[in-house]
């Protein structure tokens, strides 16, 4: 356990920093000049040399019919959304140009740094790295699936895997792929729907990861006991997701909830690896330490370099090798448990 003491200290620093960092407000979107620019742009559809066609045509387009699924109404809502998004972007770029000419540093707008677009991608680097993370999780799950089903021996009677946590890791893979999918979509197009789906998917993954860490580290194999472990966490995570989606998307509160769940499972894995002397504990500690250090990028945030690479995108980049190493540990654990159970069966 002494070998994991540094993880405890790092986790404490991480929790404190993230909680303090969650209260930071966006200065750009409360700038009177920025607000005036957006308001005028949405009214006229013109900002400088840029013409926002979705804004100019909205007064001439009128929807008919009262059904919520009416095709024209959906089209109009999409045009209004494009109008607001494009006006915010061009006004942000113009205001940042003015600030730069005055020697002022960049500020955030609506919680985000001013990024340069590439085609439809609002944050191209983060979107691309999220897609790479998705692919890495898929490859990790596929290699795990092939290992437990075709390379390791199966139980003679049932033809099922010896590893008791196989199905739990399958669910983890599905939630991970889903979370990175919505992360990629959200960084491509930041609207209310994609933002809520991104946050909800991340919270669901984090909550399930906490459950899985407790089930594995406490070696819970009985289904009834697993339900007892999971039920209160599932209830809380579900309530939290409903709160974010249907009551208030409170960024500060969500950050604190995520920090608590992350730190608890980080400490759980770290201490368990030291106590049990797991043969792959060094891999696990590397993932924990690397993940904690990577999360520090979220604390010491900085504006995007050349308009593309900010601390958040670098965090996305750092999770790619950690994901590969994490799935390597999972496969090692499957081999270790299979070998142990086969020896007991003899």
């Amino acid at each position: 356990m002494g070998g994991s003491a540094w993880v405890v200290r790092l986790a404490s620093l991480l929790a404190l920093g993230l909680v303090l960092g969650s209260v930071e407000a966006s200065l750009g979107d409360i700038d009177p000049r920025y607000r005036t620019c957006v308001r005028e742009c949405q009214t006229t559809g013109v900002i400088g040399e840029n013409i926002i066609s979705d804004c100019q045509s909205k007064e001439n387009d009128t929807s008919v019919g009262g059904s919520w699924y009416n095709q024209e109404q959906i089209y109009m809502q999409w045009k209004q959304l494009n109008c607001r998004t494009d006006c915010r972007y061009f006004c942000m770029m113009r205001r940042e140009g003015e600030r730069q000419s005055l020697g002022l540093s960049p500020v955030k707008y609506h919680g985000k740094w001013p990024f340069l677009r590439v085609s439809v991608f609002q944050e191209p680097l983060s979107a691309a790295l999220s897609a790479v993370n998705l692919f890495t999780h898929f490859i990790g799950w596929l290699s795990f699936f092939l290992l437990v089903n075709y390379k390791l021996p199966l139980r003679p009677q049932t033809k099922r895997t010896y590893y008791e946590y196989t199905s739990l890791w399958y669910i983890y893979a599905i939630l991970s792929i889903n979370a990175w999918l919505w992360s990629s979509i959200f960084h491509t197009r930041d609207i209310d729907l994609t933002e809520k789906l991104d946050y909800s998917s991340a919270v669901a993954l984090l909550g399930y990861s906490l459950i899985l860490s407790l089930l594995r580290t406490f070696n819970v194999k009985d289904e009834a006991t697993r339900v007892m472990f999971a039920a209160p966490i599932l209830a809380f995570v579900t309530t939290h997701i409903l709160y974010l989606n249907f009551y208030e998307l409170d960024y500060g509160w969500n950050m604190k909830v995520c920090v608590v769940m992350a730190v608890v499972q980080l400490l759980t894995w770290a201490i368990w690896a030291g106590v049990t002397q797991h043969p792959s504990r060094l891999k696990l500690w590397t993932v924990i330490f690397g993940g904690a250090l990577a999360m520090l990028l979220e604390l010491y945030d900085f504006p995007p370099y050349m308009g593309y690479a900010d601390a958040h995108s670098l965090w996305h980049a750092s999770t790619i090798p950690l994901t590969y190493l994490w799935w390597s540990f999972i496969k090692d654990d499957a081999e270790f448990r299979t070998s142990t159970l086969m020896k007991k069966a003899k």
Side-chain angles (χ1 to χ4, degrees):
M1 181 173 177
S4 60
W6 52 267
V7 181
V8 178
R9 290 193 291 269
L10 185 58
S12 301
L13 175 63
L14 180 64
L16 177 62
L18 282 174
V19 170
L20 294 177
S22 66
V23 300
E24 182 182 357
S26 298
L27 298 177
D29 48 286
I30 62 176
D31 186 334
R33 292 188 179 182
Y34 168 77
R35 290 191 169 193
T36 300
C37 175
V38 173
R39 184 168 57 251
E40 292 178 353
C41 174
Q42 290 180 311
T43 302
T44 64
V46 178
I47 170 173
E49 298 179 355
N50 299 293
I51 299 176
I52 315 300
S53 58
D54 287 327
C55 296
Q56 288 188 325
S57 61
K58 68 179 182 180
E59 293 182 355
N60 299 326
D61 294 335
T62 56
S63 59
V64 294
S67 300
W68 65 269
Y69 54 83
N70 184 276
Q71 193 173 28
E72 191 171 352
Q73 287 182 342
I74 296 174
Y75 171 71
M76 283 301 301
Q77 291 174 3
W78 181 253
K79 286 175 69 68
Q80 292 173 8
L81 184 62
N82 285 338
C83 170
R84 184 184 67 179
T85 301
D86 289 344
C87 283
R88 284 182 175 182
Y89 173 74
F90 287 112
C91 286
M92 176 182 68
M93 289 292 103
R94 185 168 79 171
R95 186 67 185 119
E96 281 303 302
E98 295 171 350
R99 290 177 57 84
Q100 187 177 12
S101 66
L102 296 173
L104 300 175
S105 59
V107 295
K108 289 185 176 182
Y109 295 79
H110 306 284
K112 291 190 172 186
W113 292 112
F115 290 92
L116 292 176
R117 284 184 180 179
V118 174
S119 184
V120 299
F121 297 94
Q122 293 180 338
E123 298 176 48
L125 187 57
S126 289
L129 292 172
S130 294
V132 176
N133 272 284
L134 185 157
F135 180 73
T136 307
H137 271 285
F138 175 76
I139 295 299
W141 165 79
L142 182 61
S143 61
F144 173 73
F145 175 83
L146 294 175
L147 173 70
V148 295
N149 287 283
Y150 296 101
K151 296 181 180 179
L152 295 178
L154 301 176
R155 296 177 185 268
Q157 298 84 0
T158 61
K159 297 301 180 182
R160 300 180 64 180
T161 64
Y162 277 95
Y163 190 50
E164 313 97 318
Y165 306 96
T166 299
S167 59
L168 297 179
W169 286 116
Y170 287 169
I171 298 173
Y172 170 81
I174 292 172
L175 291 175
S176 297
I177 291 171
N178 174 72
W180 285 111
L181 171 66
W182 286 112
S183 174
S184 182
I185 294 173
F186 172 61
H187 288 302
T188 299
R189 196 68 171 173
D190 178 3
I191 60 176
D192 290 341
L193 177 62
T194 57
E195 181 180 39
K196 289 181 177 179
L197 287 170
D198 176 49
Y199 275 72
S200 299
S201 299
V203 171
L205 173 60
L206 203 53
Y208 180 79
S209 299
L210 174 59
I211 293 172
L212 186 51
S213 69
L214 295 175
L215 295 181
R216 178 62 190 96
T217 56
F218 285 95
N219 200 26
V220 181
K221 291 172 283 189
D222 179 69
E223 292 297 330
T225 309
R226 287 183 174 183
V227 171
M228 292 178 61
F229 265 80
I233 301 176
L234 280 176
F236 174 77
V237 170
T238 302
T239 303
H240 180 64
I241 291 175
L242 292 173
Y243 175 85
L244 295 178
N245 283 274
F246 300 106
Y247 184 73
E248 180 185 5
L249 188 55
D250 189 329
Y251 300 100
W253 168 243
N254 181 64
M255 177 67 77
K256 293 173 184 177
V257 169
C258 291
V259 165
V260 171
M261 291 194 294
V263 170
V264 169
Q265 60 186 286
L266 183 150
L267 291 174
T268 300
W269 282 116
I271 296 172
W272 170 78
V275 171
T276 61
Q277 295 293 295
H278 194 282
S280 294
R281 60 187 177 277
L282 291 180
K283 283 186 181 180
L284 181 55
W285 281 339
T286 302
V287 172
I288 293 170
F289 185 71
L293 286 180
M295 282 301 295
L296 292 177
L297 289 169
E298 298 287 273
L299 303 184
Y300 303 103
D301 202 5
F302 55 83
Y305 177 71
M306 301 294 290
Y308 298 108
D310 69 331
H312 185 69
S313 63
L314 294 182
W315 174 73
H316 281 321
S318 68
T319 57
I320 296 171
L322 294 175
T323 297
Y324 175 82
L325 196 59
W326 175 239
W327 277 104
S328 178
F329 163 75
I330 295 170
K331 290 184 288 185
D332 288 349
D333 188 52
E335 293 179 342
F336 171 66
R337 286 296 302 165
T338 300
S339 175
T340 301
L341 292 173
M342 289 184 64
K343 289 178 181 178
K344 290 182 179 180
K346 291 181 180 180

